[in-house]
Amino acid sequence: MRPSSALLGFALAACAARGAPSGAARDDPHALTIRVLDVGQGDAIYLTNGGSRVIIDGGPDEARFGHLLDSLGVHHDTVDIVILTHAHADHYRGLRALFETARHVTVRYFFENADPSAAGSLRALRDSVAARAAEGSLVYRDTDDPCGDGRPICTLTLRGGAVLHVMRPDPARSTANDRSAPVKIVGADSASFTMWAAGDAETAAIAWFLGAAGYAADPGMRANVLKGDHHGSCNGVTPAYLAAVRPDAAVLSIGAVNDYGHMHDQAKAAYRAAGVPWYRTDRNGTITITSPGTPGGGYRIAASRPGTDLAGASDRAASPRGCGDDRRLPSPPG
Ligand SMILES: [Zn+2]
């Protein structure tokens, strides 16, 4: 353990005070609710704890994410932490809805890597973030230095006592997916609930988390729930990863019809071999995880549509030549 990192915290109580606590938070101040939102082919997670609000990625579509924000009542509110795991459109485009003037949302902290990008839509998001930072309402954090002090892990305590560990991505990687920043979510009662989410990290980044980064020791990769990496791609899971996280279940965000063949059969086989059931947004809809945050309170997963280990319309069979070849297989007809 590297206790200096684990203890590196900054409480959000003061800066989050502008946001009105949600009804659930008033009922149970330690309750944690995590919604893995059905945004199509992309990722978006909305988390609340004690009135703190956190968003990890915003999916591929600004209008769709904006509609979800409206349905969740995020309007004239403060979102304490926004984390863009990596610079791909299926993760950042929706986040632009947070900065639409009519929505009146205050974002306190915005995390992303500062990797250069030629994408105009990302530039527009970054311009919005920079404008808020310049006026002093937003604190910008580069995930390569997540607390701004050189440490690899930034630990943030939410108002209900839940904790986020935002971790530096592999600095040596050049592909956007492998530059995904991992996040560990720990409930107010850490024995009741933890979750590991690492965007679209592929096998090289996953090996780095397990090895040189030391994240298996600090903050620890064991978690009750794994957000399945890279939408169920065969390159988003390894036996060693599942052996380290040892999740009770995986939750994956996938478009009902996608050109990538997600989920890949190899990923399903890996989860099956490790005894990990999966939920997927294209079949289950929005997946909601709740933990009361009280000792022994445990946690619960509820899906808009029931079922685990479901297959999807675009799922692609394994190539006998391995995962790398799957990308080059033609899409199924229709
Ligand atoms: Zn993605």
Side-chain angles (χ1 to χ4, degrees):
M1 284 290 286
R2 283 174 281 159
S4 58
S5 295
L7 294 171
L8 177 68
F10 51 89
L12 284 164
C15 64
R18 294 184 202 177
S22 70
R26 279 195 299 271
D27 294 340
D28 185 343
H30 302 296
L32 173 68
T33 300
I34 300 171
R35 291 179 176 86
V36 181
L37 301 169
D38 180 10
V39 290
Q41 182 69 11
D43 267 9
I45 295 173
Y46 177 65
L47 180 163
T48 57
N49 173 247
S52 293
R53 298 177 180 85
V54 177
I55 289 171
I56 304 174
D57 293 334
D61 184 83
E62 181 174 346
R64 184 165 179 168
F65 191 62
H67 177 73
L68 285 163
L69 291 174
D70 294 341
S71 68
L72 292 162
V74 183
H75 197 267
H76 284 272
D77 279 321
T78 294
V79 176
D80 301 287
I81 300 166
V82 175
I83 301 166
L84 170 58
T85 58
H86 67 292
H88 268 167
D90 58 320
H91 297 251
Y92 69 72
R93 273 215 182 112
L95 294 177
R96 294 176 60 181
L98 284 167
F99 297 91
E100 289 170 3
T101 309
R103 193 158 273 115
H104 301 286
V105 170
T106 298
V107 174
R108 295 294 303 160
Y109 287 84
F110 188 93
F111 290 79
E112 64 151 356
N113 69 52
D115 294 357
S117 169
S121 52
L122 181 57
R123 200 157 52 241
L125 174 66
R126 285 175 165 172
D127 286 349
S128 298
V129 169
R132 297 280 185 96
E135 73 185 21
S137 67
L138 178 150
V139 176
Y140 178 84
R141 295 281 191 218
D142 183 337
T143 51
D144 283 313
D145 186 10
C147 255
D149 60 3
R151 297 172 190 262
I153 305 172
C154 195
T155 298
L156 305 106
T157 303
L158 306 183
R159 278 193 283 172
V163 165
L164 295 187
H165 300 288
V166 182
M167 285 160 267
R168 171 188 295 167
D170 186 347
R173 294 288 133 203
S174 56
T175 65
N177 284 347
D178 276 345
R179 292 279 293 142
S180 293
V183 180
K184 185 174 185 182
I185 303 163
V186 181
D189 176 46
S190 61
S192 284
F193 180 73
T194 49
M195 179 168 171
W196 179 270
D200 285 356
E202 299 180 7
T203 49
I206 289 168
W208 184 79
F209 301 155
L210 294 167
Y215 294 153
D218 179 15
M221 291 174 66
R222 169 85 180 91
N224 296 104
V225 174
L226 170 68
K227 198 289 293 180
D229 296 43
H230 198 196
H231 320 290
S233 171
C234 51
N235 59 26
V237 62
T238 65
Y241 195 32
L242 296 178
V245 180
R246 284 187 286 137
D248 306 327
V251 294
L252 298 109
S253 186
I254 306 168
V257 177
N258 67 79
D259 294 334
Y260 307 98
H262 298 156
M263 294 180 69
H264 291 159
D265 276 1
Q266 295 100 320
K268 289 190 276 192
Y271 289 124
R272 245 185 232 116
V276 178
W278 64 82
Y279 296 82
R280 49 189 292 171
T281 55
D282 60 332
R283 298 298 313 280
N284 295 113
T286 289
I287 300 154
T288 303
I289 304 159
T290 51
S291 178
T294 48
Y299 76 98
R300 178 169 178 269
I301 301 178
S304 301
R305 297 186 290 276
T308 56
D309 299 359
L310 298 174
S314 294
D315 290 6
R316 184 173 292 167
S319 161
R321 295 181 297 269
C323 180
D325 280 342
D326 282 293
R327 293 179 178 195
R328 296 191 291 275
L329 294 177
S331 296

